[in-house]
Amino acid sequence: ELDTTALAAHCGSNDGFVSKWYDQSSNTNTAAQTNTANMPKIYDGTTGVVTENEKPAVDFDGSNDTLLTNQNIRTASAFAVGKSAISGRSTFFGATSIGNQYLRTDGTNIKFQNGLGSLTLTGQTSQSYNLIYLDNVSSSASLANNGGSPVTATNLDTNDIENFGIGRKSSQDFFNGTIQEIICYQVSKSANRTGIESNIATFYGITI
């Protein structure tokens, strides 16, 4: 849990921004930003801690906010929680170098793309609260949202996402909205998907 009391005391009447999104594993894949203009906001000097469903959230402006790693991160399974502020393209995470792997909302779709192809989950509302599930192993991929049935595709590669970044793909489609959680596994969690989604949904108050 974020210590919101300490955060409020630190920021006071000033806005507060995120310079590092710490990796909670032992792999030290922390995503960081050294340019203050490109840091997403976590605290508003007027309204307080940025929240969704009364849980702290990181607010990306859709223009240049992003947190970057210099690591190639395996996303055999991934879970992302966030809410887009627009009906257009907003990227949860993606490659910062060549940009050929990413996960984003896109109008009424959620899309995963990698080097060999793409997978699209249609009929979604980008501006809704999303708990997105991605599985990308053995040259196939599955994509689902808010506990729904996944769509699948074959003949997709399973390369690492190069220079993993939160809130953009390459240097475009910056996320506009709030992100609360991104969990990436180096092995498939398809057999444990239901339990993981239930845990996340309960914590964030998401209906699945």
Side-chain angles (χ1 to χ4, degrees):
E1 290 279 8
L2 179 68
D3 189 339
T4 55
T5 301
L7 178 62
H10 174 72
C11 295
S13 59
N14 300 305
D15 291 344
F17 299 87
V18 175
S19 62
K20 292 182 179 179
W21 189 311
Y22 286 98
D23 181 5
Q24 299 300 304
S25 73
S26 60
N27 298 312
T28 64
N29 291 323
T30 293
Q33 179 59 257
T34 57
N35 186 337
T36 55
N38 297 345
M39 295 178 185
K41 186 164 72 172
I42 187 119
Y43 183 89
D44 187 281
T46 301
T47 59
V49 179
V50 177
T51 62
E52 291 289 352
N53 275 16
E54 300 181 353
K55 290 289 186 180
V58 181
D59 187 11
F60 292 76
D61 66 5
S63 175
N64 53 20
D65 290 354
T66 185
L67 297 162
L68 309 174
T69 77
N70 59 0
Q71 305 294 320
N72 297 343
I73 296 179
R74 171 71 67 181
T75 53
S77 281
F79 298 83
V81 177
K83 183 177 181 180
S84 177
I86 60 172
S87 60
R89 296 175 177 177
S90 281
T91 304
F92 278 92
F93 59 78
T96 60
S97 54
I98 56 177
N100 69 346
Q101 292 208 64
Y102 59 83
L103 176 70
R104 77 179 184 207
T105 60
D106 185 6
T108 56
N109 307 313
I110 293 172
K111 184 176 183 178
F112 170 67
Q113 169 124 16
N114 65 22
L116 293 182
S118 63
L119 177 59
T120 301
L121 182 63
T122 61
Q124 308 299 306
T125 302
S126 293
Q127 293 165 276
S128 68
Y129 209 12
N130 296 296
L131 194 176
I132 301 171
Y133 160 72
L134 167 68
D135 200 60
N136 181 36
V137 293
S138 301
S139 298
S140 65
S142 298
L143 187 62
N145 188 34
N146 291 337
S149 299
V151 294
T152 61
T154 57
N155 298 320
L156 295 173
D157 66 24
T158 56
N159 294 330
D160 300 344
I161 291 184
E162 298 183 13
N163 297 327
F164 187 95
I166 299 173
R168 78 171 191 178
K169 76 174 185 73
S170 190
S171 58
Q172 58 184 314
D173 295 348
F174 287 90
F175 195 86
N176 190 327
T178 53
I179 299 176
Q180 292 173 300
E181 186 93 87
I182 293 176
I183 307 172
C184 297
Y185 294 95
Q186 293 180 319
V187 296
S188 174
K189 292 295 180 180
S190 59
N192 309 103
R193 174 198 166 195
T194 301
I196 294 172
E197 285 181 326
S198 177
N199 181 277
I200 295 172
T202 298
F203 183 80
Y204 289 106
I206 301 172
T207 301
I208 61 174

